[in-house]
Amino acid sequence: MADLRANCAGIESPNPFWLASGPPTNTYGQVARAFDAGWGGAVWKTIGEPIINVYSRYGSVDLGGNRVMGFNNIELITDRPLEDNFREIAEVKRDYPRNALVVSLMVESKREAWHEIVKRTEDAGADGLELNFGCPHGMSERGMGSAVGQVPEYTARILGWVKEVATRPVLAKLTPNVTDVTYIARAARQGGADGLSLINTINSIMGVDLTTFAPLPAVGGKSSHGGYCGPAVKPIALHMVSAVAGDRDVGLPVSGIGGIATWRDAAEFIALGASSVQVCTAVMHYGFRIVEDLADGLSNWMDEVGLRTLDDLRGKALPNVTTWEQLDLNYHLVAEIDYDKCIECELCYVACEDGAHQAIRRHDDADRAGGRHAVEIIEEACVGCNLCSLVCPVDGCIAMKQIPNGAPPVSWKDFTAGRGRLAPRPEHFHVARFG
Amino acid sequence: MTHYAPPLPAAELERNFADIAPPLTPDAAIAEAHRCLYCFDAPCTKACPTHIDVPAFIKKIATGNLRGSARVILDANPMGHSCARACPVEVLCEGACVLNDRDVKPINIALLQRHATDYALERKLRLFAPGRPNGKRVAIVGAGPAGLSCAQDLRRWGYAVTVLEAQDKPGGLNTYGIAEYKMRPATALAEAQMVLDLGVELRTGVVVGRDVGLETLLEEYDAVFVGVGLGSNRGLGIPGEELVGVVDALSFIAHLKSHPYSETPVGRRVAVIGAGNTAIDAVTQAKRLGAERAMIVYRRGEADMRCYHYEYELAKRDGCEFRFHASPRRVLGNARVEGLEVETPAGVEVIACDMVIKALGQTPRAEFVPPAAHPKLFVGGDCANGGAEIVNAAAEGKKGAAAIHRMLGGGHG
Ligand SMILES: Cc1cc2nc3c(=O)[nH]c(=O)nc-3n(C[C@H](O)[C@H](O)[C@H](O)COP(=O)(O)OP(=O)(O)OC[C@H]3O[C@@H](n4cnc5c(N)ncnc54)[C@H](O)[C@@H]3O)c2cc1C
Ligand SMILES: Cc1cc2nc3c(=O)[nH]c(=O)nc-3n(C[C@H](O)[C@H](O)[C@H](O)COP(=O)(O)O)c2cc1C
Ligand code: SF4
């Protein structure tokens, strides 16, 4: 059995699965049930001066019959009095000493305000602090949340204040609503952060009601942009996690967040450098029980591939993240169809013909009666782009096969510097075919 | 046996007894798993007598965690593989699926369960470990679904378990009774082996009540679980029953399942008396063996049949015939069966046939009369419930194990 114990910036938990700060971590009752279900840690719903929420707060993107592929909210930080939050935080720590309890904080940008909330939170027993520099709606209009996280100087300054009094690890939770998150991450490092949590939610409008012309989610016919999350944002989050985890000037442990719903998602975040992972939307969709397969699936998979601890897995994919200019231009692929699996839907044909490189030939009924396959790859025209294999509805039917061309690797960087030679490749863009 | 149907060509027999519900491809399994809504407090789980956490095991198929999926199934139901093949899911989990209410095809739970348990069986995965020995010993009489399910939990809690089995192979009716096109003996034995691999001592060829007394077991062991199933089918109680060619459905099926297909004698014209699930299994398998005509003879009407609707449909698709409102009065023939005299609303008739299969319902085992209640004695499965399904036997075997555990001071199990 793989050892799933995690340590993120000195915050230890029995497994890497933490609830992200949000509705699931609002109360003692929820966090206690989550820990009973097997969650390793939780980041308490952001506390600060209690706010007042609007009614109608969430929106969803449904795709092909699947609900909540993307999710958004226009909810603010906690609406519960600070005293209630502190009391329940202390109770959770008393009843679940082995689970990680991190508390998310957001107050106005005043040194005393930060000092006070940090001290009170540590007095309540929090194992760590997470500074919410990411909330993109509402709070940012009041100069907090992403209004801080979008400006490197503010980020560093507030971290400095917090570190003047904090004795427990401090994570800075970053907003993805910036041009390059590594700048903010470096500022967090300079400010003294012990680790980073990312991503928070992405600016979004979920849709428009075409009867009332109200943007969604609507509050009496109006809306404001909200924070986008859920499965749809995972690729964005993976990129940002890898960008900060792989940046030498950042050099901080990372808690990965954004669209995690299965153990595979979690494994990918960890492979790109995360030390723990946080989940919000998937729990809002299916409940705390999903942690069972998160842990069971990750552990079974690690056993299968021979990884004993999370340290063995963490960052395993990072060295493979590089810049475009380093990629090998002489690595050539061609699509290959497994005709035992082909169901002749011809989706690959139309995708390649109209959307890519006209490298799939289609045979008419007469040819097929004569024994030809419905579709056939024109190898000389194929640029190995993947499109056909991506749209093919049958797993493993279209494989991308490497064609050895004997040429040594050459990157764009080398090539433009006059080093190396390009192997011959299809000249599809010079060819016009009619009929 | 010249008057019997000549055996069909081997290839045709093989086809006739091939899996009636072939396994899903990995693609299809994942696509089907993604259809599951992952209901909370799911009705499918409630409908299953062993309460397998169906959404959990399906979700694990979707995430590619097949080992974990099989564990969820076999933890709740050690017979989870045979159940996947043979459960009447239309009236259990799949019948309860919420999608039925939306007029959408319910999730194919049986085949998904098969997919996950195939993975475990094919790899002989050790999903469970025996518990630390607790010094207590339990005897289990009968290695059928009830006895095996009882054995699995007891081993996991650290009991030393000895199973006494009259036949020379374990599995009970899973090995000798389930329609061949649903499950073959080798599969039933592989499933039984997973349980035995937990360190169960199996003694075959031991008939309790003949070779060793139940009283002795009750003295020597800390507890005894009895899961002996039921005996042969009720007699017809009509003249001619002793003629050659009148056979019990169970021995007909058991013979078919333990010999090459071509070696099981089957008439050219077969009359099966009864209209329960066993009767259906007998008539379809007679037909698939090569009977020219195979027919259910039943004294009541279509609506009164005790078999499941889908089993009836299967027999009709197989080309079996049905004579309703026909009460058998006499088996005709000299030494061998030549016909069956029945009384119908239109008068007495003779149905020409050369084989009569008795399928009027199993009777309690004559040779094994369960003693009066005894504090160390627990019973479950067909012998306790009067004859139900594999899944009920599994549930009762587990319940028996939990009761034994409680009695012997091992918590609530
Ligand atoms: C023809 C037929 C088809 C069926 N098809 C299905 C189906 O498709 N799906 C389904 O779910 N259920 C089906 N069933 C029902 C199912 O097989 C039973 O409910 C289930 O096998 C009961 O399990 P059990 O352990 O109680 O008994 P059994 O399976 O009968 O096992 C009892 C075991 O005890 C042994 N035994 C008996 N007496 C003694 C003794 N004195 N000493 C030692 N050992 C002894 C027997 O040899 C046997 O191995 C079918 C039943 C029949 C008869
Ligand atoms: C309804 C809702 C409320 C949230 N509230 C907070 C919050 O108070 N503080 C915070 O740091 N992040 C908050 N988040 C962001 C989440 O913690 C998380 O960063 C984001 O949802 C991405 O993860 P996910 O895709 O697993 O949901 C909230 C998210 C949602 C959906
Ligand atoms: S989820 Fe709960 S709080 Fe939200 S609208 Fe529904 S009932 Fe109300």
Side-chain angles (χ1 to χ4, degrees):
Chain A
M1 278 273 279
D3 180 354
L4 294 187
R5 278 174 304 172
N7 182 332
C8 182
I11 305 166
E12 293 181 356
S13 54
N15 64 47
F17 305 110
W18 298 1
L19 292 170
S21 179
T25 57
N26 214 7
T27 61
Y28 171 93
Q30 288 168 294
V31 174
R33 276 190 290 121
F35 287 164
D36 288 339
W39 288 88
V43 183
W44 198 268
K45 171 74 181 172
T46 305
I47 60 171
E49 239 359 271
I51 53 73
I52 298 166
N53 270 312
V54 290
Y55 276 20
S56 169
R57 304 171 192 178
Y58 309 145
S60 162
V61 169
D62 303 341
L63 197 65
N66 288 323
R67 304 277 181 200
V68 195
M69 297 294 94
F71 189 65
N72 107 333
N73 80 91
I74 52 170
E75 174 174 303
L76 306 183
I77 65 170
T78 186
D79 57 3
R80 309 179 65 214
L82 275 174
E83 295 66 37
D84 292 358
N85 280 300
F86 287 134
R87 190 184 59 249
E88 294 185 14
I89 287 165
E91 283 167 3
V92 169
K93 253 347 274 183
R94 179 195 66 203
D95 296 345
Y96 299 88
R98 277 186 298 278
N99 295 77
L101 186 61
V102 177
V103 177
S104 171
L105 308 176
M106 185 197 293
V107 290
E108 41 175 350
S109 296
K110 291 199 178 126
R111 190 168 175 216
E112 308 74 55
W114 280 101
H115 279 188
E116 187 190 330
I117 195 132
V118 167
K119 286 186 199 147
R120 291 182 70 185
T121 306
E122 292 201 347
D123 286 346
D127 298 309
L129 310 171
E130 187 181 85
L131 313 187
N132 182 341
F133 295 158
C135 183
H137 47 265
M139 302 313 289
S140 53
E141 295 169 18
R142 307 175 195 181
M144 294 181 261
S146 65
V148 173
Q150 286 168 333
V151 184
E153 294 74 24
Y154 296 174
T155 302
R157 184 185 309 150
I158 290 181
L159 268 158
W161 293 339
V162 166
K163 288 297 287 184
E164 285 166 1
V165 290
T167 63
R168 311 273 160 79
V170 177
L171 307 173
K173 182 162 176 182
L174 305 184
T175 173
N177 300 305
V178 292
T179 42
D180 184 344
V181 76
T182 52
Y183 285 88
I184 313 293
R186 288 177 201 148
R189 158 101 204 207
Q190 279 148 22
D194 299 291
L196 303 170
S197 301
L198 70 165
I199 59 173
N200 208 310
T201 54
I202 305 173
N203 287 336
S204 56
I205 284 180
M206 293 305 271
V208 173
D209 180 325
L210 291 180
T211 311
T212 61
F213 293 97
L216 299 174
V219 181
K222 298 209 184 318
S223 190
S224 92
H225 73 266
Y228 195 45
C229 52
V233 312
K234 186 183 106 179
I236 297 166
L238 281 177
H239 160 248
M240 293 198 170
V241 164
S242 75
V244 303
D247 189 286
R248 236 173 295 151
D249 297 333
V250 176
L252 290 175
V254 173
S255 185
I257 319 170
I260 296 168
T262 70
W263 62 268
R264 285 174 185 276
D265 301 329
E268 290 168 19
F269 274 85
I270 298 169
L272 283 173
S275 301
S276 72
V277 292
Q278 300 185 26
V279 180
C280 181
T281 302
V283 164
M284 292 182 72
H285 192 171
Y286 292 119
F288 298 129
R289 59 192 169 136
I290 63 167
V291 75
E292 196 276 331
D293 189 58
L294 287 174
D296 182 47
L298 182 66
S299 162
N300 284 340
W301 171 75
M302 286 175 65
D303 288 347
E304 211 172 292
V305 298
L307 296 167
R308 284 181 306 107
T309 68
L310 294 182
D311 288 340
D312 294 346
L313 170 61
R314 196 178 51 252
K316 243 177 139 46
L318 265 186
N320 298 329
V321 182
T322 177
T323 52
W324 196 97
E325 64 173 10
Q326 305 283 356
L327 301 177
D328 178 11
L329 295 171
N330 281 344
Y331 174 74
H332 287 182
L333 294 175
V334 67
E336 188 179 53
I337 299 174
D338 179 345
Y339 290 106
D340 288 341
K341 295 188 174 155
C342 177
I343 54 174
E344 305 193 351
C345 66
E346 300 180 29
L347 284 169
C348 58
Y349 166 76
V350 74
C352 186
E353 187 69 9
D354 293 0
H357 300 96
Q358 302 81 47
I360 299 183
R361 193 176 288 128
R362 191 177 162 272
H363 294 294
D364 60 19
D365 289 347
D367 282 349
R368 289 184 207 183
R372 309 298 294 264
H373 293 299
V375 288
E376 189 185 325
I377 305 291
I378 306 166
E379 294 207 359
E380 332 62 273
C382 173
V383 302
C385 72
N386 283 354
L387 181 64
C388 55
S389 74
L390 298 177
V391 301
C392 176
V394 182
D395 262 356
C397 176
I398 303 186
M400 301 305 301
K401 182 183 65 169
Q402 193 188 348
I403 34 175
N405 49 22
V410 60
S411 66
W412 175 252
K413 199 172 179 193
D414 289 340
F415 179 66
T416 49
R419 292 187 296 270
R421 197 175 51 80
L422 279 187
R425 41 180 56 217
E427 300 203 354
H428 63 283
F429 37 82
H430 300 306
V431 183
R433 281 196 286 131
F434 298 95
Chain B
M1 276 182 271
T2 46
H3 71 305
Y4 278 150
L8 296 175
E12 195 174 339
L13 284 168
E14 199 51 47
R15 226 175 13 253
N16 287 350
F17 290 104
D19 256 358
I20 196 161
L24 296 172
T25 61
D27 264 13
I30 288 171
E32 186 66 7
H34 277 299
R35 270 195 339 119
C36 171
L37 300 181
Y38 197 40
C39 296
F40 186 74
D41 199 16
C44 46
T45 292
K46 283 190 268 188
C48 171
T50 61
H51 305 308
I52 295 175
D53 189 340
V54 176
F57 92 70
I58 291 181
K59 174 105 176 158
K60 285 171 191 286
I61 292 175
T63 72
N65 179 11
L66 286 175
R67 181 190 178 95
S69 180
R71 196 177 192 284
V72 167
I73 297 164
L74 296 169
D75 176 40
N77 179 352
M79 299 293 108
H81 183 76
S82 40
C83 284
R85 290 167 167 274
C87 262
V89 287
E90 287 80 351
V91 297
L92 295 174
C93 52
E94 289 183 18
C97 177
V98 296
L99 294 180
N100 289 302
D101 299 339
R102 289 177 17 190
D103 277 342
V104 174
K105 212 164 83 57
I107 304 297
N108 196 331
I109 298 169
L111 281 183
L112 287 173
Q113 186 166 322
R114 161 111 188 248
H115 184 71
T117 51
D118 269 343
Y119 178 87
L121 277 183
E122 279 161 14
R123 285 164 186 75
K124 297 188 170 45
L125 294 186
R126 296 211 165 220
L127 297 171
F128 309 104
R132 257 225 325 276
N134 62 16
K136 306 230 164 74
R137 301 164 66 235
V138 179
I140 293 177
V141 187
L148 289 170
S149 299
C150 182
Q152 170 162 306
D153 278 0
L154 289 176
R155 280 302 295 145
R156 291 177 67 188
W157 294 326
Y159 292 85
V161 175
T162 304
V163 176
L164 305 128
E165 167 57 53
Q167 301 283 347
D168 59 359
K169 288 188 186 125
L173 287 173
N174 274 2
T175 304
Y176 294 106
I178 301 301
E180 182 73 353
Y181 44 77
K182 291 184 189 165
M183 179 165 66
R184 297 189 176 189
T187 309
L189 292 174
E191 185 178 46
Q193 195 58 45
M194 272 188 115
V195 175
L196 298 175
D197 281 345
L198 280 166
V200 174
E201 186 200 354
L202 174 67
R203 291 198 211 143
T204 53
V206 180
V207 178
V208 174
R210 185 192 73 188
D211 304 332
V212 49
L214 185 62
E215 288 67 28
T216 319
L217 296 179
L218 285 167
E219 273 162 30
E220 286 179 4
Y221 289 85
D222 295 298
V224 176
F225 178 83
V226 172
V228 291
L230 292 172
S232 52
N233 275 281
R234 212 146 29 85
L236 301 173
I238 56 174
E241 190 167 354
E242 70 296 336
L243 291 176
V244 173
V246 179
V247 295
D248 183 84
L250 290 187
S251 34
F252 171 69
I253 294 169
H255 192 282
L256 156 69
K257 289 181 68 71
S258 47
H259 295 80
Y261 303 134
S262 58
E263 286 174 21
T264 295
V266 65
R268 285 176 187 277
R269 290 161 168 257
V270 178
V272 177
I273 300 177
N277 292 314
T278 298
I280 297 279
D281 282 3
V283 79
T284 53
Q285 292 181 100
K287 186 80 181 146
R288 285 164 186 249
L289 271 178
E292 285 155 21
R293 295 181 68 177
M295 150 185 332
I296 290 274
V297 178
Y298 184 41
R299 67 194 164 96
R300 299 179 204 251
E302 186 175 8
D304 305 308
M305 287 198 298
R306 280 173 299 112
C307 62
Y308 294 115
H309 181 72
Y310 64 89
E311 296 278 21
Y312 177 37
E313 291 300 317
L314 171 70
K316 284 197 286 191
R317 273 202 308 280
D318 274 8
C320 301
E321 297 161 58
F322 291 82
R323 283 300 307 268
F324 296 112
H325 304 293
S327 275
R329 281 173 32 128
R330 213 143 52 99
V331 186
L332 306 172
N334 303 309
R336 287 178 181 288
V337 173
E338 286 163 20
L340 180 66
E341 187 182 289
V342 294
E343 191 173 321
T344 74
V348 174
E349 260 180 54
V350 172
I351 296 171
C353 60
D354 52 8
M355 188 174 199
V356 170
I357 297 181
K358 298 188 275 189
L360 285 174
Q362 285 174 266
T363 53
R365 289 199 178 276
E367 74 280 14
F368 193 94
V369 184
H374 184 289
K376 284 162 80 176
L377 180 69
F378 300 80
V379 281
D382 276 3
C383 69
N385 62 32
E389 312 291 338
I390 303 168
V391 67
N392 304 98
E396 291 173 24
K398 281 178 68 91
K399 215 178 283 163
I404 289 171
H405 197 35
R406 259 195 316 275
M407 184 213 28
L408 295 176
H412 51 74

